[in-house]
Amino acid sequence: IDTVKQAEMFAAIRGAYGIERDENLALRDYPTLARAVEFVYEKRPDLRSDPASGAVRPTPGESGYEGKAPATSAADEMSPAQALPTLPQGSIGAAQSVPRRVPVARVRPPAERFPATDVRLEAGARVVLVPDEHGVGRALAERLQRRGVDVLVADPSAATDALVESVGAWRSGGGVHGVYWLPAMDPVPAGVLSDPRQRREALRRRVKALHALARSLHDDLCRPGAFLVTGTRLGGRHGYDEAGASDPPGGAVAGFTKAFGRECPETLAKVVDFEASRKTSALADLLVLEATRDPGAVEVGYGVGHRWTVGLEERPVEPGDPVGSDAVYVVTGAAGSITSAIVADLARHGGRFWLLDLVPEPLPSDPDLARVTMDREALKFDLLRRMQAAGGRVTPVQVEKELARLERSASALAAVEAVRAAGASVSYRSVDLTDASAVSRVVGEIVAAEGRVDVLLHAAGLEISRSLPDKSSEEFARVFDVKVEGWYNLIEALGDRPPRSVMAFSSIAGRFGNAGQTDYAAANDFLCKAVSAMRTTHPETRALAVDWTAWRDIGMAARGSIPRIMEAAGIDMLSPEAGIAAVGRELSAGTRGEVVIAQGLGIMISEDPGAARLDEAFLEGTVLGPMSGRVASLELYRGLAIETELDPRAQPFLDDHRIDGTPVLPGVMALEAMAEAARLPFPALHVTALEDVTFLSPFKFYRDEPRAVTVRVHYDADGHDVLARCVVEGTRTLVAREEPETTLHFAGTVRLTTAPPSVARELEIGGPNGTTVGADAIYGTYFHGPAYRVVQEAWRDEGGVAGRFAKDLPDDRRPAGSPALVAPRLVELAFQTAGLAELAEAARMGLPEGFRRLELLDPAAFEVESTAVARAVPGGSFDVDVADAHGRVLLSLSGYRTSKLPGTVDVEPFRVLRA
């Protein structure tokens, strides 16, 4: 129910039970009817012991493992089907309120631009190196030894116990300072992954042996200055590109590495991804560099000529096709409470469902299935008595285990009954997903009966949180195999009959890593990379992995202390209404790859300020422009941030750019700010263009007071070019507001190239024909002050309207002559000349709204004798070229558009400029 109805209901409850209103009450803490009942007991504890109230219930000591048996409950009078809980339904509105984030590959500046790590690869350091089979490890060992490092090169093919034993013997000689783990740099052939026995061995060598080794070295590696650096061959961008991941088992190593870093936050944990073919010597050098530089990045890659990391980007759902009402669904992990609720919601739209789980098919006649949902405490007491009667000592753990089995059975029965109630077809099969033969039999039965599988929903999983020293190899395998082996067994069983859509349930633990979940993170990140690889291996299948946050009110994470832990970590739990609806939304979408469904991510995306920055020594040697102030940070998820304090009383470009008396940041200086910020970490590259620029909101300096302007930059690539996605924002605190308000003012992309721009063409400009508009008329209409009166005169040119650059302009910035990258006043000449053409042709005056592209052909020649020619183009925009006195084009502006200023303007002085 909505919050208004909830408030009405609580008002009625207070009236019925005589409870005073509590202004601090948070209704979100009472999302279920059961919690509403708890509210009454919390506020009126006397009702617990007042038989006249009709609200008697046992006190905590009256049920459980001691004391008398609870009274007979209503569940004893019901059939299991009658007592099953009502499963929550999805709400598309709730789903739309949750951010939809997509992991993306982002260009990361060179490692040398970042601070040094605490790792010291020098004499006295002792490093374990588990190499690949193609020479990178051998080259790395040589480089480490030349630095004086004592290196143990272990045998990657050794049995796990033998590997751990050999490292343990070497460790006794002085401890271990770091581990290089490179077996995942040997891609696993497709034929090996298809064979269960060979696949298990390949995964053991790459990730299960890594777990065992890291566990044995936990005390050495979990301390400042220690490191774990792993190598993968996912393609150089961790699978976040059009081709997808090239070797999914590397995802398991990546997931483990990220989780290890969360568990040992003082350790440098980094996974370095490479393309399938790179020179071994170059890779060895990069592995040394990554251990010693850039402590702020955990996922790093090298591909298509750039260094990469993984960021997040909010994106809408891509258009797709709805799942048909006759679709055939195969759902694993169907007995989980979350999965059963999802299945029930999907069934409302029809379909034929095959539900798979390890739990045996639930019997509707089993009375315990009714009691597990209606009276769990009474059932717990009875289970204890039954198990005691069977003989032997009974522990609470044994009772809870049996309860958990019954809960999964009840959940499975709820899903089956809900599908039937919706009028859809349902079949349930008990199967061990790690048993390839059993999976093959069940999938064969499904295909024989249905002829196809339209949707595979791989939701099976097991989570056992335990720190690395307490995580046995057997437990690691249990958690890992149900997801990973289950995936391969399903895909292999389907063979040449791949489903139309695949959705794999992953977790934010796989995306970001999480302490105590090295196995769970490894399995989930593997799923993400396996789904990514389907772009190439199964291009006809629409495959998506969903990184879920913990769900609220449903599922294991909703119990015990987990919600409090999540709250303390700043991580919002997901409402079932949102999560359930998101599944249907994503299955009907055209999205492929991976998506994060979560609200606040808290510590998952928080970063160490000391690591999320550029190196001070690098900055000291960098020449900053007029729009570059303090380099605040360079974060993985928020990008590069540069803050610059601007004072209208000190900067002519503000004082001479006023609208209605208020200084406004000129758009051309916002372009300069974006260019300077974009190029800062890449001083060897050249700013050659600004693209898709939008002027969103004027940046005003109220009461002539100074303000800070912030430029944020994320980096992408287009071939060898670096694309800097920039936004310019401002923050101010409004009256009667505690929290400051941040506004986006400008956005655009700066193109950085390895080669400098070149003058590629010339422009023939006709001179004034005797009829011109002079500066007095122009600036009688325009609002610009002396430093921005850049048009000396304008006239009608054969190609459009021409504007001549003014001579002897006063300085537009302090300090005078400070370097600029985009020739701001030449760009302003282009803007104003286009504005004159608009005044003449359309009888309207507008402010800049944006443009498609500004090409900087010779920015070093700014403010030379030049002329701009503006031409109107279909659609209401303008193209403008600015050329020097010899006709060489210095810059070219295309797709320039304006937003109309309110009010009227006298256009009579500009009619001579009309065509």
Side-chain angles (χ1 to χ4, degrees), residues 10 37 176 196 201 270 280 336 413 422 445 566 622 634 652 668 740 883 894 909:
F10 268 75
V37 173
V176 172
E201 171 60 15
K270 188 178 287 191
T280 58
L413 182 59
E445 178 189 359
M566 299 283 283
T622 302
L634 205 170
V668 295
S894 58

Side-chain angles (χ1 to χ4, degrees), residues 745-768:
H745 296 276
F746 303 88
T749 297
V750 178
R751 182 174 291 271
L752 303 169
T753 61
T754 54
S758 59
V759 178
R761 58 192 176 90
E762 294 185 353
L763 179 67
E764 185 175 342
I765 304 173

Side-chain angles (χ1 to χ4, degrees), residues 382-394:
D382 283 352
L383 290 175
L384 172 68
R385 292 291 180 258
R386 290 179 211 169
M387 296 168 77
Q388 288 174 334
R393 179 175 176 271
V394 181

Side-chain angles (χ1 to χ4, degrees), residues 480-504:
F480 184 81
D481 288 351
V482 69
K483 282 183 175 284
V484 177
E485 290 295 324
W487 168 268
Y488 277 122
N489 290 336
L490 288 162
I491 297 300
E492 290 300 318
L494 287 166
D496 59 357
R497 301 174 297 272
R500 169 177 169 266
S501 296
V502 169
M503 180 180 287

